[in-house]
Amino acid sequence: MNSLISLIIRDTEIGAKLPKGALLVGPPGTGKTLLAKAVAGEAGVPFFSLSGSDFVEMFVGVGASRVRDLFKQAQSMAPCIIFIDEIDAIGKSRDSQYGGGNDEREQTLNQLLSEMDGFDSSKGLVILGATNRPEVLDKALLRPGRFDRRIIVEKPDLKGRVDILKVHAKDVLMDDSVDFDAIALATSGAVGSDLANMINEGAIMAVRAGRKAVSQADLFEAVEVVIAGKEKKDRILGKEEKRIVAYHEVGHALVTALQKDAEPVQKITIVPRTMGALGYTMQLPEEEKYLVSKEEMLNQITVMLGGRAAEEVVFNMVSTGASNDIERATQSARSMVTVYGMTERFDMMALESIQNRYLDGRAVRNCSEATSTLVDEEILKIIRQCHNKAIELLTENRDLLDEISEYLLEKETIFGTDFEKFIYKGGLCMFGLVPFKFNNGENNKGLTLNDVFNDFFNESMLSDLSANGGFKTDIKETPEEYVLHAELPGVKKEDINIDYDNNYLTISATKNTDSKEKKENYLRRERRYGSVSRGFYLNNVNKDLIKAKFDNGVLNVHLPKKEKSEKDTNKIVVE
């Protein structure tokens, strides 16, 4: 778009020709219309905005006449921009497959094609079109010389969501607690219109509560309102139904916590919502991801089936509450088989293709009936495997399932920090990698503390540290303390930072480089969970007795197994 603007407002003496048209393509709500207006504003030229339906009339010849009048007026005011929104209303393919045969619409399209060929682009006249159905547009409209460029306006990424939130929050009073990065991380997949709605909902909630500014809590509640609807507190569940819903939601959350690389739980609630949910478990991604592995997809399906598994483990029954979970799990399993090539039986054979990618994303089968039967068998195999895994995880941790569910029944809503205290209590464990309790240095999956500590360093440190001699890690346990040992070549004492806050120990280290501005962080994984940084979870540790010593590239942290002090000092001095 920047190159388009520069050609509109600059001379083209070297022979560059201004493109005649550009097509904005993307899902609804991504800001295609706003982007077209912004282009005209940046270029400082007149802007003609119309909808494709403005050309469609029941009277023959009216649409073509309006196209002629539009281009005549635009050429008299050149340089300028013509923007046709929902251009598929007049630009639909004349092929019978897409409903061809409408004489008035085809005559309007023919006139548009003729006008785009006839005007002189050197005068600075550019046509912008917008659609979310590019596959139905006529091929003659898309050829070079008409719509020369196709600009994809996708759903915004993490940085894009942060910037969009800031734009919509410009005229809204925000207090100091607001963190747009955290909101953007929690709204993966949201488009610009969703984010604008969330900001407005947050402002409405602040007004209702009688506050002068919008808080972070208001915005998080607004996210939930957009996703699941408002709280429906007048819907009263029976005692037994409430227990089933509580165990169902804790089943999702617990299966999430018991799997590696699963997204952490942000909130669990059994308060019904207006969109039909009797309760839900909200997960907060740790980072923006564009690729998903097979293992991660299987973990996601296992989490989806965790609610039904909890009902079976605890009540020995099934209910209708898992209908949406089953639908989503089946769709994910189907995509694994037919689209992503994640099964040995079909290898990398494409069995489905996606139509209407920017609307409903409907899949169309590309295989025979016999193959479809085999596909269903593979889908059932994946679903059954994940279902059995969920039951196994919850059966092994039945005590924890009961404990958290009873707490949820009492509170109705619990947040991630409360949930963590149940999961990570009892000794020392790695937070975020292997969430299991340790007994005598070994957890219930056969992993030792040293395995976990090594896993942390291997995933946290950058590869060039290994090139400088590598690093070694070790954890030792005595009846009185744990000792964390790490050999860190190239790291200086002044670059080591250790903090202990709210039972979390975080270690960060930066390695000196030739450039003073460039320091590389090796130890700490900057993974957000609410307002708490990821690190080690320590239970009943006296932080005043924690000792850290760093000498000649070797770090030793001594963690005493004693009651936690009530003092507020979080900084640990490295000797």
Side-chain angles (χ1 to χ4, degrees):
M1 294 301 287
N2 288 334
S3 62
L4 196 62
I5 294 171
S6 64
L7 285 173
I8 294 174
I9 61 179
R10 296 178 185 173
D11 293 331
T12 55
E13 295 177 355
I14 63 174
K17 293 183 179 179
L18 183 67
K20 287 189 175 182
L23 187 65
L24 304 177
V25 178
T30 50
K32 298 183 290 295
T33 305
L34 293 175
L35 187 59
K37 291 180 180 178
V39 169
E42 288 291 320
V45 298
F47 182 69
F48 294 85
S49 178
L50 301 96
S51 172
S53 60
D54 292 337
F55 299 98
V56 179
E57 290 283 356
M58 63 178 292
F59 302 105
V60 176
V62 173
S65 174
R66 288 180 177 173
V67 171
R68 286 192 296 271
D69 292 342
L70 171 65
F71 276 84
K72 183 177 180 181
Q73 185 179 2
Q75 286 179 2
S76 67
M77 299 183 68
C80 67
I81 293 176
I82 298 173
F83 175 60
I84 304 175
D85 201 3
E86 307 298 346
I87 196 172
D88 51 274
I90 59 170
K92 189 178 293 185
S93 175
R94 290 164 288 184
D95 191 322
S96 59
Q97 177 185 354
Y98 297 103
N102 186 316
D103 290 340
E104 168 60 12
R105 183 173 54 76
E106 289 187 9
Q107 188 174 346
T108 304
L109 174 59
N110 290 335
Q111 187 63 46
L112 177 62
L113 297 175
S114 176
E115 293 291 344
M116 291 186 73
D117 276 341
F119 71 83
D120 184 2
S121 63
S122 64
K123 292 183 179 180
L125 181 61
V126 174
I127 303 173
L128 297 179
T131 182
N132 41 46
R133 301 172 64 200
E135 67 277 355
V136 306
L137 293 179
D138 197 280
K139 300 300 181 185
L141 192 64
L142 300 176
R143 73 161 175 81
R146 290 192 174 122
F147 280 103
D148 298 89
R149 298 191 179 186
R150 178 178 295 196
I151 300 168
I152 307 299
V153 187
E154 283 282 9
K155 294 180 180 180
D157 58 9
L158 180 62
K159 183 179 181 300
R161 292 196 298 276
V162 171
D163 293 338
I164 291 170
L165 286 168
K166 289 179 179 178
V167 168
H168 291 296
K170 184 173 60 174
D171 298 323
V172 179
L173 292 177
M174 301 281 176
D175 68 17
D176 295 337
S177 68
V178 171
D179 181 0
F180 290 123
D181 290 326
I183 300 297
L185 202 56
T187 53
S188 179
V191 296
S193 57
D194 293 329
L195 299 172
N197 191 20
M198 290 171 189
I199 293 290
N200 188 55
E201 283 288 343
I204 291 172
M205 290 173 187
V207 170
R208 285 177 177 171
R211 290 190 294 273
K212 299 293 186 182
V214 179
S215 67
Q216 184 79 341
D218 292 326
L219 293 179
F220 264 117
E221 179 62 25
V223 171
E224 295 179 52
V225 167
V226 173
I227 294 173
K230 294 182 180 294
E231 289 186 353
K232 195 173 179 64
K233 294 185 178 180
D234 59 340
R235 178 176 292 174
I236 308 299
L237 298 179
K239 186 176 180 180
E240 187 62 19
E241 278 191 336
K242 198 172 182 179
R243 286 192 76 238
I244 293 172
V245 173
Y247 273 93
H248 182 104
E249 298 306 331
V250 173
H252 287 304
L254 194 52
V255 170
T256 299
L258 294 174
Q259 294 187 103
K260 183 178 176 180
D261 295 328
E263 294 178 352
V265 174
Q266 170 72 11
K267 180 179 179 180
I268 314 170
T269 181
I270 54 173
V271 178
R273 293 272 172 166
T274 53
M275 290 188 182
L278 297 178
Y280 68 94
T281 300
M282 183 179 179
Q283 294 174 256
L284 182 66
E286 299 171 317
E287 58 190 355
E288 188 87 336
K289 297 190 70 173
Y290 300 97
L291 295 174
V292 182
S293 67
K294 178 180 178 180
E295 181 183 359
E296 288 171 332
M297 289 199 72
L298 290 172
N299 287 346
Q300 290 172 6
I301 295 172
T302 305
V303 170
M304 294 174 196
L305 301 178
R308 167 61 67 84
E311 294 178 14
E312 293 175 293
V313 169
V314 177
F315 302 100
N316 195 27
M317 53 84 74
V318 295
S319 72
T320 58
S323 59
N324 182 251
D325 299 329
I326 294 170
E327 181 182 348
R328 291 166 52 224
T330 304
Q331 183 56 50
S332 294
R334 179 173 292 279
S335 296
M336 290 179 66
V337 177
T338 61
V339 179
Y340 302 128
M342 292 182 173
T343 59
E344 293 182 5
R345 187 174 209 167
F346 294 108
D347 200 25
M348 290 186 290
M349 180 180 178
L351 301 169
E352 287 182 349
S353 58
I354 306 297
Q355 291 190 350
N356 295 334
R357 182 175 298 276
Y358 299 111
L359 291 176
D360 55 2
R362 185 176 65 253
V364 178
R365 189 179 67 195
N366 294 334
C367 58
S368 66
E369 291 289 346
T371 303
S372 294
T373 302
L374 299 178
V375 167
D376 291 339
E377 291 177 3
E378 286 294 312
I379 294 170
L380 179 59
K381 180 180 177 182
I382 293 172
I383 295 292
R384 187 164 283 153
Q385 171 190 339
C386 295
H387 184 195
N388 292 335
K389 182 180 178 182
I391 291 175
E392 178 186 350
L393 289 172
L394 294 176
T395 302
E396 290 177 357
N397 295 271
R398 174 63 190 275
D399 292 344
L400 199 53
L401 176 63
D402 292 334
E403 188 178 1
I404 301 174
S405 299
E406 292 301 325
Y407 185 76
L408 179 60
L409 279 168
E410 178 187 347
K411 300 293 185 180
E412 290 195 332
T413 298
I414 59 177
F415 294 93
T417 50
D418 298 320
F419 180 67
E420 293 165 17
K421 291 175 183 177
F422 287 100
I423 299 296
Y424 299 100
K425 68 182 179 180
L428 168 72
C429 66
M430 182 56 223
F431 186 78
L433 288 174
V434 187
F436 303 108
K437 293 187 292 186
F438 286 90
N439 295 309
N440 299 322
E442 186 171 306
N443 78 342
N444 60 342
K445 293 297 179 185
L447 289 167
T448 65
L449 287 169
N450 195 45
D451 292 332
V452 180
F453 193 49
N454 271 288
D455 195 5
F456 173 63
F457 275 78
N458 280 316
E459 292 200 16
S460 305
M461 290 192 169
L462 303 180
S463 58
D464 60 315
L465 185 59
S466 298
N468 291 338
F471 59 89
K472 297 178 181 179
T473 62
D474 183 48
I475 281 190
K476 294 179 180 178
E477 180 183 5
T478 69
E480 293 78 27
E481 65 176 3
Y482 298 103
V483 180
L484 280 61
H485 173 86
E487 297 179 16
L488 311 172
V491 177
K492 294 184 177 180
K493 176 181 175 180
E494 54 267 27
D495 295 323
I496 295 283
N497 292 298
I498 304 176
D499 292 290
Y500 181 69
D501 185 22
N502 197 26
N503 283 13
Y504 295 93
L505 177 74
T506 56
I507 307 173
S508 63
T510 56
K511 181 186 172 188
N512 288 323
T513 63
D514 295 335
S515 170
K516 291 184 179 179
E517 290 77 20
K518 183 182 178 185
K519 284 198 170 187
E520 297 169 347
N521 190 318
Y522 285 109
L523 289 177
R524 169 182 268 164
R525 304 173 76 189
E526 288 294 342
R527 304 173 72 180
R528 303 286 297 274
Y529 192 108
S531 61
V532 181
S533 296
R534 284 296 181 96
F536 293 96
Y537 181 89
L538 311 175
N539 191 48
N540 294 332
V541 170
N542 189 336
K543 63 186 176 187
D544 296 316
L545 297 181
I546 295 177
K547 292 183 180 180
K549 188 173 182 179
F550 187 78
D551 186 28
N552 292 327
V554 177
L555 173 67
N556 287 292
V557 183
H558 297 263
L559 308 170
K561 299 179 180 178
K562 292 189 178 181
E563 288 296 322
K564 177 184 171 184
S565 171
E566 296 301 324
K567 294 184 180 180
D568 295 324
T569 304
N570 296 327
K571 194 72 176 177
I572 296 171
V573 178
V574 181
E575 297 176 357

